[in-house]
Amino acid sequence: MPGDGFALDWVTVAVTIVVGFAAMGAAFLANAVLAPRRPSVDKATPYESGIRPGPLGWSQFNARYYLFAILFLIFDVEAVFLFPWALVFLQTASYVFYAMLLFIGILFFGVLYAWRKGVLEWR
Amino acid sequence: MSVTLLDIVWAAVGAVALVTAVSILGVSLVWLERKFLGRLQGRPGPNRVGPFGLLQPVADGIKLLWKEDVSPGPSAKVLFYVAPLLVFVPSFVVWLTIPFTRDLALRNLDTSVFFFVAFSTLSIVGVLLAGWSAASKYSVLGGFRAAAQLVSYEIPLIVIAITMVALAGSMSFVDIVEAQRTVPYIALVPLAAVLFFIAGLAEIGRTPFDIYLAESEVVGGPLVEYSGAHWAVFYLAEYGNTFLVGALTALLFLGGWSWPFGTLPAPAAVALFLTKSYFVTVLIFWVRGTYPRLRIDQMMSLGWKILIPLSFVTLVTVVVQRFYGWPSWTLTLMSLATLALAAWLQTRLQGAPARALAEKYRRDAVVVQAKPRLHREAPAAAKVEASS
């Protein structure tokens, strides 16, 4: 029954998001009211096993996962195409089926290529 | 059809009920996990607060509300306080489309599987922000680890979800469960169930995939600096997600609230669904009590070199079986054959680098022994000379 109650679906989603934020916000509020507040310099230092921490954690970082993130983007976009296809591939023309198989094959080859190139090693 | 104010009020009432239900489920899991892990390790577990220690998580919650909320001085305050919400809310919103039985869901969306995939991905942002905003080395490291891990294991999870959509011909959980009225999908695609369970474990960061939370490496990862209610929200989100994986596995593979001997009345159906979900959840706890943590490179190669190829093979076999209209037992056969092939390859390849290294050491050892020992006496003589 597509279309029927479509607006109500997404109104419910919006209301649920708001309620989720509100419920946890209420917990934060209760914490702010109930908890003691005795700030000190030592409490405000980042954790370092009890000794004075060195420079901030925001120094330059070697984000080793960025190639993984790019690969993930490719697959995530693919998922957007795959979901509708998985619903209709039995009802449409057969070339739709073969075309998507070809697409999956190309992507799979892409993973194998990345593997061969050593991108998938965590160094 | 327009939405009236009454609709909105009812949606809000339902959402509040859902928050309560998810909180109660989460709290029950805290108790269940501590008790179950205790029994696995030969100790009684919590047994002081209430009968069988049942009120222990409630006491913990009250304690957390009364705890001072400390944040590091140099942290990015707004992001630091918003991040727990960004982790909790997406995982909570997914619950609105989880049907406890045929008619008991806040809203049966037509696209509920897609909705689950879309929203569960969002909480990665929250974990990364929580790690980055705290300005602590450990939390930044943990946040980056979390991003790498969650992003990698999202793919097999999505591909298996697509596989189940292709198998049932619908994106709605209700239709997927109805399609399993006679045979649950775990009998048709056991490999997919295994892959979904493993990827789900990684997505919720439970042992053996608690690499971004690892206490002995990054002392709790993104959660190091959190305390009080903010930490409690992370905790609730973690247990909510754990039960979500249990519920999704029950819906997609174990037939949800249906069983092969006819239709059950609604309360019994809900009980059956909850039993199946708790069963998978206890399995998750059992894994936690049994396996050691993976190393980060092992985790990444397991995701990219084993789970992703296998999930694509599963998708293709399911789609081909459906397209050519082969009988459904061929699907079981193909799934088990893929699993057997993967297991065989794994046992063949697993020890290969270690064996090569051992062989190299053996060769080197022979060379070392063949070297003549020329200066055996000379240094001793020199030492005597120097001391005198």
Side-chain angles (χ1 to χ4, degrees):
Chain A
M1 39 168 193
D4 184 33
F6 180 81
L8 189 56
D9 278 353
W10 296 101
V11 166
T12 311
V13 171
V15 166
T16 311
I17 291 174
V18 171
V19 166
F21 275 111
M24 295 305 120
F28 292 174
L29 200 68
N31 191 15
V33 172
L34 291 173
R37 182 170 296 274
R38 296 189 196 87
S40 76
V41 179
D42 286 338
K43 269 185 202 168
T45 51
Y47 171 80
E48 183 64 79
S49 321
I51 58 172
R52 202 161 286 277
L56 267 179
W58 287 335
S59 45
Q60 275 201 341
F61 231 92
N62 175 14
R64 278 187 276 194
Y65 67 90
Y66 87 100
L67 273 175
F68 290 101
I70 291 172
L71 282 174
F72 167 72
L73 265 188
I74 298 167
F75 278 105
D76 224 20
V77 171
E78 186 208 5
V80 172
F81 294 132
L82 275 176
F83 261 109
W85 170 77
L87 275 185
V88 300
F89 73 96
L90 288 178
Q91 286 115 48
T92 49
S94 60
Y95 77 86
V96 175
F97 174 74
Y98 294 114
M100 196 49 111
L101 276 196
L102 186 67
F103 181 48
I104 294 174
I106 291 171
L107 268 169
F108 195 73
F109 181 76
V111 174
L112 290 184
Y113 179 73
W115 191 341
R116 190 86 178 80
K117 278 283 180 183
V119 174
L120 302 185
E121 307 299 325
W122 184 269
R123 272 161 299 168
Chain B
M1 180 183 151
S2 64
V3 180
T4 60
L5 190 64
L6 193 67
D7 288 335
I8 295 177
V9 170
W10 272 116
V13 170
V16 170
L18 198 65
V19 161
T20 318
V22 171
S23 306
I24 290 173
L25 283 175
V27 162
S28 79
L29 284 190
V30 174
W31 176 82
L32 185 67
E33 170 161 43
R34 291 184 61 180
K35 204 75 180 169
F36 188 72
L37 273 183
R39 288 303 159 101
L40 278 182
Q41 295 162 357
R43 57 193 170 79
N47 60 357
R48 291 303 160 111
V49 193
F52 309 107
L54 267 172
L55 295 179
Q56 184 66 50
V58 180
D60 288 348
I62 293 172
K63 177 211 128 187
L64 283 173
L65 280 187
W66 282 81
K67 213 174 159 194
E68 184 177 358
D69 191 21
V70 182
S71 67
S75 61
K77 290 281 188 277
V78 175
L79 292 181
F80 184 77
Y81 286 128
V82 168
L85 295 173
L86 292 185
V87 175
F88 175 81
V89 171
S91 68
F92 162 66
V93 168
V94 174
W95 277 99
L96 82 90
T97 183
I98 300 290
F100 286 80
T101 159
R102 193 185 163 71
D103 303 313
L104 186 63
L106 189 53
R107 200 72 197 152
N108 279 325
L109 303 179
D110 297 333
T111 54
S112 42
V113 176
F114 188 70
F115 184 79
F116 149 68
V117 165
F119 267 85
S120 64
T121 310
L122 280 181
S123 57
I124 297 176
V125 179
V127 177
L128 187 57
L129 274 186
W132 183 82
S133 64
S136 160
K137 272 178 258 177
Y138 302 105
S139 63
V140 174
L141 260 177
F144 281 142
R145 282 180 170 199
Q149 171 176 341
L150 299 182
V151 147
S152 303
Y153 282 81
E154 196 71 38
I155 301 168
L157 203 73
I158 294 174
V159 173
I160 294 299
I162 294 171
T163 308
M164 304 324 281
V165 167
L167 196 54
S170 170
M171 280 203 245
S172 153
F173 283 125
V174 176
D175 293 346
I176 291 178
V177 171
E178 292 295 316
Q180 304 175 63
R181 189 171 280 281
T182 47
V183 183
Y185 281 159
I186 190 169
L188 290 185
V189 276
L191 177 61
V194 172
L195 293 176
F196 188 84
F197 183 72
I198 295 175
L201 272 183
E203 277 299 301
I204 54 180
R206 315 252 351 159
T207 325
F209 298 103
D210 58 344
I211 287 152
Y212 66 91
L213 300 167
E215 279 85 359
S216 51
E217 297 168 23
V218 286
V219 287
L223 314 183
V224 196
E225 301 294 349
Y226 282 95
S227 63
H230 296 91
W231 192 78
V233 168
F234 274 118
Y235 208 56
L236 196 58
E238 186 189 334
Y239 280 94
N241 278 335
T242 308
F243 198 70
L244 189 64
V245 168
L248 286 172
T249 313
L251 284 175
L252 293 179
F253 298 103
L254 303 180
W257 58 85
S258 69
W259 70 341
F261 314 111
T263 314
L264 287 169
V270 174
L272 186 64
F273 170 64
L274 285 182
T275 310
K276 285 174 179 174
S277 310
Y278 270 113
F279 171 74
V280 179
T281 314
V282 165
L283 216 58
I284 293 173
F285 296 156
W286 191 3
V287 167
R288 177 176 173 185
T290 311
Y291 287 100
R293 187 184 303 133
L294 290 180
R295 219 169 49 212
I296 190 159
D297 59 323
Q298 293 172 332
M299 182 270 291
M300 293 306 272
S301 63
L302 173 68
W304 284 93
K305 296 175 183 171
I306 298 181
L307 292 194
I308 291 179
L310 279 185
S311 61
F312 272 100
V313 170
T314 310
L315 175 65
V316 169
T317 52
V318 165
V319 163
V320 165
Q321 184 265 342
R322 297 279 292 165
F323 188 74
Y324 292 109
W326 294 344
S328 46
W329 57 265
T330 55
L331 204 55
T332 316
L333 203 66
M334 284 192 288
S335 193
L336 285 177
T338 317
L339 189 59
L341 186 70
W344 180 74
L345 272 178
Q346 177 66 14
T347 46
R348 279 293 301 277
L349 298 179
Q350 195 170 32
R355 278 198 294 274
L357 207 61
E359 180 60 31
K360 181 175 177 297
Y361 282 156
R362 207 173 299 127
R363 275 202 312 273
D364 290 356
V366 170
V367 173
V368 168
Q369 273 186 355
K371 265 184 195 167
R373 297 177 181 172
L374 289 177
H375 307 289
R376 197 173 170 197
E377 304 301 326
K383 196 180 169 193
V384 170
E385 229 168 78
S387 64
S388 60

